[in-house]
Every structure is written in C-alpha cells, then in structure tokens.
Amino acid sequence: MHLPLKSSEHLRNYAFVVKDGDKTVRIKLVEADTEKDNVKAESGKERRFVLDADNPLSVENGELHIHFHYKPAGKKKQTALNKEAIETIFQQEGFDDWLALLKTPAPTEKNQDRTLLEKHLNDYTARNTFDYFIHKDLGGFLRRELDFYIKNEVLFLDDIDDASFQVTETHLRKIRVLRSIAHKIIRMLAQLEDFQKKLWLKKKFVVETHYCMTLDRVPEALYGEIVDNTAQHEEWVKLGFTTEDTEITEEYLKENSVLVLDTRFFDAAFKDKLLASIENFDEQCDGLLVHSENFQALNLMQERYREQVKCVYIDPPYNTGGDGFAYKDRYQHSSWLAALTGRAKAAYSLLSTQKGCFFSCIDDGEQDKLRISLDIVFGEDNFVANVIWQKKYAPANDATWLSDDHDFLVLFAKDKLGWSPGRLPRDAKQNKAYSNPDNDPRGRWRADNYKCNKTADERPNLYYPIIHPKTGEEIWPNRNAVWRYTKEQHEKNMAENRVWWGKDGRNKVPAYKRFLSDVGDLVPRTIWKYDEVGHNQDGIRQLRALMPQTGFTSPKPVGLLERVVQVGKGDLVLDYFAGSGTTAHAVINLNREDGGKRKYILVEMGEYFDTVLKPRIQKVVYSRDWKDGKPKPDSDGNLNGISHCFKYLRLESYEDTLNNLILKDRTEQQDDLLKANPALREDYMLGYWLDVETADSPSLLNIKQFEDPFNYRLHIATGSVGATKPTRVDLVETLNYLIGLTVKHIDTVRGFRVVTGTNPKDEFVLVIWRNLKEKDNAALEEFMEKQAYHPRDTEFDHIYVNGDHILEDPHSKVKMIEIEFKRLMFDVRDV
C-alpha cells in the first residue's frame, strides 16, 4: 500500500525551529521560483535540490529563508550538492546571528562534526528520494521474518546435518528470550503501522463544497443579489467574461445567460436558495471536480459511483523526473507501479461492468511495466490495444538516439466480451472519395473493386462470365482473382443499378457502386496521427489561448481526449490525474457539437486546481474559442457558450488527518490503574493506547461536535508550510458520499437541513440534519409531522437523523447519522 505521492508543496517546503535562549527561531528551507526551470527541464533527467546561488538567504517576517531550486543537476549526487550548499551558506555575510544557530552541533556516531544545518538539509532533500509506504500487515510480515531469522541465524538449520541435529537448552532459552522481546517490539511497531493504515484508508471529510453554473440555471429571483456581489463581478473580469467598465444589471444578466456563477462568492443563505430551486440535482449537474490526493477521492466515491463510470482516462506521471507534475516523480519502478496499481484497483470498481474501459497515457519508459500491472487489475484477456499517439509534428534532430515521436495509450476493457469501442464520425477528407458522376438520386458513391483475391479453385461459384451491357461481350474474371459476388448477387446488383462500367460505359471490368449512405462511422485504428487528434504543441497553444500566463507545460491536446471519449463511449468520464482539465474541455466540446449529455469527474491535487483547472472549465463553458485570454466570437458574433453546471469539492488530506489528531489525557484513576497493573500497562501501551487516546480527535469523528453539525471544524493546511486554519467541514456532503446518495433535492426547512435521493440499491432515502442545541426531539417530531414524514409509511426506504431520537421505527428504517457515519467512514474492507 503506497502512501500519498507527495505534492510539490509538501516536498519542497520544510521548516524547523531553533531555540535561541528564551526565543524560538523558525528557519525555513523553501523552493525558489522554479517556473522557468520547470519549462526548461528535460524529460528523463534527474532533478536535485540546488542552492539558489544568486539569492541563497533572506529574512522574511522574522524567519530565515534558505532558497533552493529543484531542477536537473547533471551527474552530481544530492550529498555533494548539499555539501556545496552548506559551504556557500556559511560564507554569507550579514547573517551572523542566524549562521551561529545553524552551526549548532548536531553530531551522530558516524559524523561527529555534523551541524544543525546539515541535519535539516539532509532531512529536507531526503524526502524527495525516499519512497514512503504503509504496510498492509506489518505485524504478520515481521513475525514471519522473525521465524526465518531464528531458523537461519540462531539455529542455523540450513547448515546442520540431520544426523547430528541437536537443540540444546541454551538454544531454547535464547530463542524464548529473543521471541519474547521481539514479539513486543513487533506488536508496538504493528500498532503504529496499523494506526497509519487506518488514517490513510479512512474516508476523508469534504471540507468545502461549491458550485459553478451558468445563469440560465439560476432563478431570476436571485439576480438582485448577484448584481450586488462585487466579488463575483471581479471574478468575471479576471476570467475575461466582462470588463471593469461593464455595468452589471439584472437585464445584463438575462442577456448573458452563460455567465458562470461561482457560489464561493456568496453566503450560505444564497447557496441554500439556489440549491433548493433545482430538482434532481445530481442529474442536472454536468461535472464534478475534486481537489484531493487521488486515492482518497477514489476511496470516497466508491459507493456513489460504483459501476457507473463508462470511461477512465489518466495521464499519470511518467516516472521520468521531468514531467512538471505536482506529484513525486522518479520513483523506483516497483514504487511507481504500486502507486498506480492501487489507484487503478480503486477506479476498477467504479467502471461499468459491461461498458467500462480504461485508457492510460504513457511513454516507452514504463509502458511495459504498466501493461503488466493493468493485466493484474483487469485480467490479461481484457487487454484491448496499445494505441500509438504521434505526439510530435516534427522530428527532434538533436535527440541523442532516436527522435521520441510517440506515446502510448494502453487500453483495457473491464469486460472485453461485453464492451465495444465507439465508432468515429467521418470527416470531409474521408468523404472526398465519394462523388456522383451519373447523378444517381441516391446520392454520392464511390467505385469499389468487383473482384476478390480468391482463385477459381477456391471459389468456383464466383468464377462465371458477366455480360457487358454495352458490347454484349462475355467478361470472365482471372482464375487467380474471381468475382467478389455470386451470380445471383450480381444480378441483384444489376437490378439495383449498383454495377458501374465507367462514365461512357466502356470499362472492360465492372465496379460496385458503394453509396456514402451505406457506410457508417469508422472503426478506430491503433495509430492516432497528430493531424487527426493534435500534438503536444497543440495542447500548449490551446491552453495558452485560454490562459496566456500559465506555467503549465504538459497539457494534452483537446482532440486527443475527444477521440478517447468517443472511442470509450464516455457518457461518464473519470480522470484522476486531471492536470489542466483537458478531459473536461473535450467532454464540453463534444456536448456542444452534438447536444450530448456526457459528464465528467476530475480529480487533481496540485495548486493549479484553482489557477488553471477550474478557470479553464469556466472559460470553455462561456465561449468555444479564445485568443490571448479573451473570448473569440465566431463570424456571426456568437461565443457559442453552453448551459452547464459543475460541483467542486475539497477533501481533507492525509496530512490534515494527522494534524487533527488529539491525544486525550488520561484521568487520574486510569493512570493509577495502569501503574498498579504492570502487565495491563504493557498490554495497553503495546496494543491499544493509540486507538483509545485519539478516539475523540476531530479527524476521527468527534461525536460531541455533531451537536452542531453545521459547525464541525478541522484545522486544514493552508499554502504556508505548517500553517493551518480552522475550517468548517461539510458533513452533509460527506454523508451523501458515504451512503452513495444520488441527490434529488436539497433544502433548508424550518431550521432543518433536508436531503432526499436514492441509494445504490435505488431505494428512496431521506436525510434530516439539525443543530441539537436548537432543535430537540420535540421539535424534530413536530417537524416530521408537519412535513408528513412518517417512518411507518413506505415513501422512504431509509431515514437518517442526527442525534439521539425517539422516532417510532417499526422496520429499522430510521438510522442515527453519527453511528452510520462512523461505520461507513472506517469501512475499508473492499480496499
């Protein structure tokens, strides 16, 4: 089981604290602005942390910052670069007090001269070279290793001749002592590892939920509040929808129905009214964006989207160290595969059994290993094709070996026997061969060969004479290439005016008239050329037309993703390495062209979620074409915007889970009990204390906070390293995902939050949330009566209510949210 692929923020920013007398001093190792380095980075070159020679040190807000670049560094090892960095830092002038602290001794047995700077610098850079794992069964693994060690290092079984084998009392005593001590150590380590596993697999809280939708889906009764919202106006200016001089009036909003509203600029009351106005909300929602580490997002989506996704496309880090991704890149092959395999397994359960397919873009370096991994996840028999995509339009003449002109799209079906690819629409170039030289009323046609490559001996029924209609001559085929049609079929072709003897009727061999109306769309091929689907530079140009200043260097061309969606028949497409959002762009384009209802789910953990991914989708919704960051009308002055709605979520991260752990103090009675019972204390410390003493932590579900479920808070990491801020968690949305609810309606009624929908079994569900400090059981019963919600009735198959209640429940259909929430949050048996 692989821990999260580390984001650039987690990897490249690191702070440590030094005591200076009574003062606490914070020193920060931070990556310098490396956008130019990222743009210039060569694929396949090892990156290292290199001190910024031009600006190695600075003091900001009372902190010492040491600046590094993360970039290709030739053949130099990180240890050598660290040594050079330390020497350079200690030579800097004007930082004497700081340098004195950095020179504080921090010796080790092997390195007596180690300084505090060396210690932390090595820790900082090592985080980019180590692979981090959580073991699925550390206790079992270590116990097996212990048995192996005892057999081969204590008893030396492999070296003992059976005839002379004798176990002495000394051996047995030694083994008993060793096993006793080792089992305690193993139990302690297993407790720590199992606890980490629990934190990693725990379904994560939704910490933020917002919606973006075009104004045609917003009730006009809310337009007045939109007119008064300057933050929304500023966002529209920033996106290029309006200018600073634009006067926003209700009339203007009505005339510009594809302006994209973002609920993050409005208060909760506005959002409640907006959501309450939409029936069958999930059906109306066209897309979902999730800002999260992708394993955590896939884990949370299991119940909601199980077997519903038709097409998965991913463009993962290629493991070259030069992709420009916000994920740790350049793993050992096994570590890289472990990360991708775990996520592919999670995506597998979301795929439709009969109609699901999986595309992964990859290069030559890891293609063979990825194929083996996906063979395990999907089964070898479900491999469909290794599509070759021509990603460059011109050769790289400066290549050391061969010009790298292609990538692969490895394609698997969940069930190859039940799946078929979508066919591709014909274009004008492919239809050019069809004309109508005889003005046939059936339309355009082309002349096809009337012969086949079979011999007269192989197909004697196809070897016969045809009478030329103009000359009356008998026309025989060659014995090595007989007619394609039987005599009966030929006569039918003649009767249907399907036989063509040339414009003047004097051709010596007939042709078959194949009409354009006879031919359907095209079967996809395994080579996708750049002039059909685009190349790398197209991807960059398309993104920069939307966002000229973006530093995103590796977007795929939209045409490539349109082809993927078409072949994958993706009416619901999942991309959990979403990057700049090309997948959503492609889905929106196809829907705009054919009026389709395709939907998308995108997962991304990078900081560019807010700066590239989300704004790109907003822009593509507003206008089909863009230039220099401005919408580009067509020749008729139309922007060709599209009615659209998408939801975006942010999830608690693994690091957030750790940051919100609280160790509960033991009571005096508990301490006395443990002190009086050494055996109990040992058993408790080795096996139970972590689970018991963190049980009320906010990230592990603090039941007390459920008294006011609309104000449940976690300390969530901000952009600054180590900094967090109290953030209100969306328990309502989190529960919806835990129970797999397809939302029909959301509303706030008389102070109660009411959600209705269907669960994965297509059962009708009612969820009622209340602030227990304001709405007691008497208020709940009164509300239920006024709303005509009666548990005995069959309208709802399940009713969820938070807080202890006394609702009559003859068929156990009423469930307490807190109990179900905790059960489902830690239900990881299928992971």
Side-chain angles (χ1 to χ4, degrees):
M1 180 186 303
H2 212 286
L3 268 178
L5 292 168
K6 298 297 183 182
S7 72
S8 57
E9 177 188 329
H10 293 142
L11 260 175
R12 301 171 191 165
N13 295 277
Y14 174 85
F16 60 98
V17 172
V18 182
K19 289 288 187 180
D20 181 17
D22 295 332
K23 290 193 306 179
T24 298
V25 181
R26 183 177 167 89
I27 298 173
K28 186 175 180 182
L29 304 171
V30 60
E31 183 184 2
D33 181 4
T34 58
E35 185 168 307
K36 293 181 180 178
D37 295 323
N38 286 334
V39 172
K40 296 178 181 178
E42 299 177 65
S43 179
K45 300 296 184 182
E46 289 278 9
R47 293 186 177 207
R48 308 286 188 204
F49 286 99
V50 182
L51 185 69
D52 184 352
D54 296 327
N55 181 31
L57 302 178
S58 66
V59 178
E60 301 175 22
N61 299 320
E63 295 180 349
L64 177 69
H65 286 192
I66 305 175
H67 302 278
F68 286 84
H69 292 286
Y70 183 62
K71 63 182 183 180
K75 296 181 179 180
K76 282 192 175 182
K77 299 296 183 184
Q78 189 66 62
T79 51
L81 292 169
N82 287 0
K83 185 177 180 180
E84 292 177 5
I86 291 168
E87 292 174 354
T88 301
I89 291 169
F90 285 157
Q91 291 171 3
Q92 298 304 302
E93 298 180 354
F95 299 91
D96 294 348
D97 292 341
W98 295 99
L99 296 181
L101 292 173
L102 292 175
K103 292 177 181 178
T104 301
T108 65
E109 186 176 340
K110 291 184 178 180
N111 185 1
Q112 294 293 325
D113 298 326
R114 189 181 70 164
T115 62
L116 191 67
L117 173 61
E118 183 180 354
K119 172 188 182 301
H120 286 286
L121 182 54
N122 288 340
D123 287 346
Y124 171 59
T125 56
R127 295 174 72 183
N128 189 55
T129 57
F130 292 159
D131 295 353
Y132 296 93
F133 287 89
I134 297 173
H135 203 290
K136 286 185 176 181
D137 181 22
L138 183 64
F141 169 76
L142 291 179
R143 282 188 289 271
R144 290 190 296 273
E145 290 296 300
L146 174 63
D147 289 343
F148 179 83
Y149 175 80
I150 290 173
K151 291 173 183 177
N152 292 276
E153 301 296 332
V154 180
L155 288 176
F156 303 105
L157 289 183
D158 292 340
D159 299 329
I160 295 177
D161 187 279
D162 289 341
S164 61
F165 179 76
Q166 183 178 3
V167 179
T168 66
E169 184 67 26
T170 303
H171 275 108
L172 293 176
R173 282 199 303 271
K174 186 176 181 180
I175 291 170
R176 277 196 294 268
V177 172
L178 181 61
R179 284 173 63 89
S180 175
I181 296 172
H183 279 162
K184 292 178 182 179
I185 296 173
I186 290 171
R187 190 178 178 199
M188 178 188 70
L189 294 174
Q191 179 188 191
L192 293 170
E193 197 76 357
D194 290 346
F195 186 70
Q196 288 188 81
K197 176 183 172 182
K198 171 184 173 181
L199 300 183
W200 172 243
L201 293 178
K202 174 189 86 83
K203 307 285 185 18
K204 300 302 184 285
F205 286 104
V206 177
V207 298
E208 184 180 359
T209 309
H210 287 299
Y211 306 86
C212 286
M213 64 181 70
T214 48
L215 292 183
D216 62 319
R217 303 192 182 201
V218 179
E220 290 185 7
L222 298 177
Y223 280 17
E225 293 181 60
I226 301 173
V227 168
D228 293 336
N229 193 308
T230 56
Q232 179 66 86
H233 304 170
E234 290 169 358
E235 177 76 357
W236 286 340
V237 172
K238 183 179 178 182
L239 290 170
F241 298 170
T242 61
T243 67
E244 293 180 356
D245 298 329
T246 303
E247 183 182 0
I248 306 296
T249 64
E250 292 192 33
E251 194 61 34
Y252 179 84
L253 299 180
K254 294 175 185 177
E255 294 172 355
N256 293 271
S257 62
V258 292
L259 281 169
V260 183
L261 176 140
D262 189 342
T263 61
R264 75 185 175 100
F265 297 112
F266 296 82
D267 61 20
F270 177 92
K271 189 160 74 171
D272 287 349
K273 288 183 284 188
L274 176 60
L275 296 180
S277 71
I278 302 173
E279 292 294 334
N280 295 318
F281 181 83
D282 278 359
E283 183 180 328
Q284 301 299 323
C285 192
D286 302 297
L288 171 66
L289 310 183
V290 185
H291 190 193
S292 167
E293 197 282 328
N294 48 24
F295 179 87
Q296 304 299 345
L298 294 170
N299 197 20
L300 182 63
M301 291 191 290
Q302 289 298 309
E303 290 302 315
R304 173 63 181 84
Y305 291 105
R306 190 178 299 275
E307 297 188 357
Q308 295 182 42
V309 174
K310 300 299 173 57
C311 177
V312 173
Y313 166 82
I314 60 169
D315 182 16
Y318 286 4
N319 206 29
T320 62
D323 294 333
F325 278 83
Y327 297 84
K328 180 178 176 184
D329 211 358
R330 199 64 176 177
Y331 279 100
Q332 295 296 318
H333 295 302
S334 59
S335 304
W336 180 82
L337 281 172
L340 263 65
T341 303
R343 289 151 180 80
K345 286 180 178 178
Y348 178 88
S349 62
L350 302 180
L351 276 170
S352 169
T353 301
Q354 293 296 320
K355 300 179 180 179
C357 65
F358 183 100
F359 286 87
S360 180
C361 199
I362 197 66
D363 67 354
D364 269 318
E366 296 285 3
Q367 178 271 140
D368 57 332
K369 301 173 188 65
L370 178 64
R371 167 73 189 277
I372 293 171
S373 169
L374 295 178
D375 279 342
I376 295 171
V377 174
F378 288 89
E380 294 181 16
D381 293 341
N382 289 315
F383 171 72
V384 177
N386 218 3
V387 176
I388 296 172
W389 166 48
Q390 188 182 13
K391 65 181 180 181
K392 291 182 180 177
Y393 66 91
N397 288 323
D398 59 347
T400 304
W401 293 286
L402 303 182
S403 177
D404 178 22
D405 290 354
H406 74 279
D407 277 346
F408 297 98
L409 284 95
V410 182
L411 170 59
F412 277 80
K414 191 169 184 179
D415 177 5
K416 188 176 178 181
L417 296 179
W419 180 81
S420 62
R423 297 202 168 207
L424 303 175
R426 306 178 64 87
D427 58 26
K429 182 179 179 182
Q430 291 155 341
N431 293 337
K432 190 176 181 180
Y434 292 81
S435 60
N436 195 355
D438 62 349
N439 296 315
D440 194 306
R442 289 169 289 186
R444 297 167 64 186
W445 55 271
R446 64 175 294 173
D448 275 1
N449 198 340
Y450 218 76
K451 292 183 179 181
C452 69
N453 59 0
K454 299 297 183 181
T455 67
D457 293 332
E458 291 175 312
R459 297 287 189 272
N461 64 323
L462 301 180
Y463 185 69
Y464 59 88
I466 290 176
I467 304 302
H468 196 296
K470 189 137 184 115
T471 65
E473 178 185 0
E474 277 192 352
I475 308 297
W476 286 82
N478 191 297
R479 288 191 62 85
N480 292 324
V482 295
W483 301 126
R484 185 179 297 275
Y485 306 98
T486 64
K487 192 170 185 179
E488 293 75 18
Q489 184 62 48
H490 168 68
E491 291 172 356
K492 183 179 179 183
N493 293 344
M494 289 287 293
E496 294 178 353
N497 188 24
R498 291 252 183 183
V499 184
W500 175 249
W501 293 91
K503 194 166 186 179
D504 56 2
R506 295 185 179 277
N507 288 0
K508 292 186 177 181
V509 178
Y512 179 78
K513 290 171 66 174
R514 189 172 304 281
F515 289 91
L516 183 58
S517 58
D518 294 337
V519 296
D521 291 335
L522 303 174
V523 174
R525 305 177 72 175
T526 56
I527 297 178
W528 296 359
K529 298 179 181 179
Y530 70 77
D531 57 355
E532 298 172 355
V533 299
H535 48 71
N536 279 338
Q537 291 303 310
D538 285 332
I540 294 171
R541 280 196 290 266
Q542 289 161 357
L543 184 56
R544 289 182 179 168
L546 290 157
M547 302 168 190
Q549 304 305 317
T550 181
F552 202 93
T553 60
S554 55
K556 291 296 186 284
V558 177
L560 177 68
L561 270 299
E562 291 178 350
R563 173 72 60 88
V564 166
V565 174
Q566 289 170 327
V567 173
K569 295 188 286 192
D571 55 2
L572 178 57
V573 184
L574 167 64
D575 182 351
Y576 55 87
F577 284 100
S580 67
T582 310
T583 299
H585 190 157
V587 169
I588 293 167
N589 271 6
L590 291 172
N591 286 343
R592 192 186 339 251
E593 290 172 10
D594 62 16
K597 299 295 184 182
R598 304 171 188 87
K599 299 186 179 187
Y600 55 85
I601 303 171
L602 268 56
V603 181
E604 179 52 53
M605 68 179 279
E607 293 178 350
Y608 43 81
F609 182 95
D610 291 305
T611 58
V612 179
L613 173 59
K614 186 171 76 72
R616 178 181 191 172
I617 298 173
Q618 292 171 284
K619 287 191 170 196
V620 172
V621 166
Y622 181 72
S623 174
R624 182 184 62 193
D625 300 310
W626 291 75
K627 183 178 180 181
D628 298 328
K630 302 295 181 184
K632 181 182 175 184
D634 62 18
S635 57
D636 296 324
N638 298 319
L639 293 176
N640 298 296
I642 187 171
S643 177
H644 198 77
C645 168
F646 68 85
K647 175 167 63 176
Y648 63 97
L649 310 176
R650 300 183 199 278
L651 302 188
E652 164 201 14
S653 70
Y654 176 71
E655 288 79 5
D656 292 328
T657 303
L658 295 175
N659 290 339
N660 284 275
L661 290 178
I662 298 174
L663 284 171
K664 182 172 55 180
D665 292 335
R666 295 181 207 135
T667 66
E668 187 176 339
Q669 293 86 346
Q670 290 170 334
D671 265 337
D672 290 343
L673 179 64
L674 292 176
K675 289 175 183 177
N677 296 272
L680 174 62
R681 178 181 177 83
E682 180 180 287
D683 189 45
Y684 175 75
M685 295 304 296
L686 293 180
Y688 302 104
W689 77 271
L690 263 177
D691 278 324
V692 171
E693 296 187 14
T694 61
D696 292 330
S697 297
S699 53
L700 300 181
L701 208 63
N702 186 314
I703 297 300
K704 185 171 177 58
Q705 280 205 56
F706 263 75
E707 291 182 357
D708 182 1
F710 311 114
N711 200 32
Y712 194 105
R713 293 177 182 268
L714 292 177
H715 290 275
I716 301 299
T718 64
S720 301
V721 178
T724 63
K725 68 175 181 179
T727 303
R728 188 177 289 111
V729 171
D730 192 339
L731 294 182
V732 176
E733 188 72 15
T734 305
L735 179 68
N736 291 346
Y737 278 92
L738 291 177
I739 63 178
L741 191 69
T742 299
V743 174
K744 298 291 184 182
H745 194 74
I746 309 173
D747 203 353
T748 301
V749 183
R750 299 186 182 93
F752 291 86
R753 188 73 165 164
V754 180
V755 184
T756 59
T758 56
N759 67 13
K761 295 181 180 179
D762 205 29
E763 298 169 323
F764 203 27
V765 175
L766 169 67
V767 185
I768 300 174
W769 292 87
R770 55 182 170 149
N771 183 338
L772 295 174
K773 299 173 183 177
E774 300 173 357
K775 302 292 182 180
D776 60 13
N777 284 336
L780 173 64
E781 289 188 317
E782 181 184 357
F783 171 75
M784 297 284 286
E785 185 67 30
K786 287 185 177 180
Q787 296 298 119
Y789 297 148
H790 303 300
R792 281 188 174 275
D793 295 342
T794 57
E795 178 185 3
F796 297 104
D797 298 292
H798 301 281
I799 299 175
Y800 294 83
V801 181
N802 72 303
D804 202 2
H805 57 79
I806 54 174
L807 296 177
E808 185 180 9
D809 184 13
H811 306 294
S812 299
K813 67 165 60 175
V814 183
K815 298 176 172 62
M816 186 173 172
I817 286 177
E818 290 87 336
I819 295 174
E820 290 299 296
F821 206 110
K822 191 148 194 168
R823 179 181 68 83
L824 294 169
M825 177 166 275
F826 293 97
D827 180 11
V828 295
R829 62 184 183 276
D830 294 328
V831 177

